[in-house]
Amino acid sequence: MTHRKRALVTGAATGIGRSAVLALAGAGYDVALIYASSAAGAQATAAEAEALGARALVLQCDVSDDTAVRAMTRTVDEAFGGLDALVNNAGTTANWKVKDLESLDLAEWDRTFAVNVRGTFQVTRAAVPLLRKGTLPAIVNTASIVGLRPGPQPLPYAASKAAVVNLTKTLAWNLGPDIRVNAVAPGWMEGDWMERMLGDKYDDLMGKRARSTPLRRCVTADDVAETMLSLLQGNRFVTGEVVVIDGGFASST
């Protein structure tokens, strides 16, 4: 019997996480789906993964809590006996009024960094022993185009994604040659996240962005998952890199 590969995806309930889970399931992986609060979304995604032939393990975990992270990875190890792939996708953001620095709540700043940066590190650190049991193990982190260039996004979110970019490169140096570590940096992405960020301006601003993009549309969660899967399964001599997924927008402006 062919051995199924094993993956862990954080922020797995919706959006990029959901698409990553389904891409991995379709490629022959059993998947541990980690979620923070969207239990119903995680269960729905797990059901979709199981329909593709995967074994799906659903676990709740706040990735900013190292004790919880250690317990979660122990459970995954007991169930799967190791990992071949890790997708660090869990993330959050802060509220603010554009260009109004006083509108930022520093508690939200701290929470954003706790989840997006420390959480990425803590999950990676706890998963390393599992990945070392895997075959050609690899990690993909979710960064963002806002971590590479300025924009109207909340300062803590943009700064945290810049930290994820650096963390990706530093982890690649520390975990090589056994474990590869790369990141993806999506541009403006269709879906619920940007709808919340842009509000009633969503259709207008996304349309303008699409028209200014060489590929004439904005990125989707499935686009991101496709690149993640490529970095996990192939690109065997690529590590410490950040792949921009924006249809060529950044290079044409």
Side-chain angles (χ1 to χ4, degrees):
M1 184 176 72
T2 302
H3 168 68
R4 288 183 65 87
K5 292 172 283 189
R6 303 146 298 178
L8 186 157
V9 180
T10 67
T14 60
I16 292 172
R18 172 185 172 277
S19 289
V21 168
L22 298 183
L24 287 159
Y29 287 78
D30 291 332
V31 189
L33 296 80
I34 313 305
Y35 73 96
S37 58
S38 302
Q43 292 292 346
T45 300
E48 291 183 85
E50 289 170 343
L52 293 170
R55 178 185 179 190
L57 175 67
V58 179
L59 298 170
Q60 191 279 335
C61 181
D62 177 354
V63 298
S64 72
D65 180 342
D66 193 48
T67 299
V69 167
R70 300 281 189 175
M72 176 269 289
T73 52
R74 283 196 297 271
T75 301
V76 172
D77 198 20
E78 290 167 2
F80 287 176
L83 287 171
D84 304 286
L86 168 63
V87 175
N88 283 307
N89 177 66
T92 190
T93 189
N95 295 307
W96 86 315
K97 183 179 179 182
V98 177
K99 296 189 176 182
D100 180 2
L101 304 190
E102 295 294 341
S103 69
L104 275 170
D105 182 337
L106 291 182
E108 290 194 15
W109 178 291
D110 291 343
R111 177 63 182 166
T112 300
F113 268 77
V115 173
N116 296 3
V117 185
R118 195 174 78 222
T120 295
F121 171 73
Q122 288 177 166
V123 173
T124 299
R125 179 172 64 178
V128 163
L130 284 69
L131 289 162
R132 293 197 187 282
K133 299 178 184 180
T135 302
L136 299 173
I139 299 169
V140 174
N141 300 324
T142 301
S144 170
I145 195 68
V146 306
L148 300 171
R149 57 184 296 173
Q153 291 76 14
L155 284 172
Y157 179 76
S160 73
K161 291 302 185 179
V164 170
V165 168
N166 181 275
L167 185 60
T168 296
K169 295 176 181 293
T170 307
L171 285 170
W173 186 89
N174 279 275
L175 297 179
D178 301 321
I179 301 171
R180 295 183 303 107
V181 188
N182 293 290
V184 293
W188 280 27
M189 193 175 75
E190 297 177 5
D192 292 346
W193 178 277
M194 288 300 290
E195 287 181 6
R196 291 195 300 272
M197 295 300 102
L198 299 178
D200 58 8
K201 297 180 180 178
Y202 175 83
D203 289 335
D204 179 54
L205 293 178
M206 292 293 282
K208 289 179 179 176
R209 177 59 66 101
R211 289 190 293 274
S212 300
T213 298
L215 295 186
R216 293 296 186 269
R217 65 175 178 84
C218 294
V219 65
T220 68
D222 287 347
D223 294 327
V224 179
E226 180 181 40
T227 302
M228 286 177 161
L229 186 63
S230 176
L231 289 168
L232 292 168
Q233 290 204 125
N235 299 285
R236 290 301 175 195
F237 205 61
V238 177
T239 194
E241 294 298 329
V242 180
V243 180
V244 174
I245 312 170
D246 71 347
F249 179 86
S251 62
S252 64
T253 57

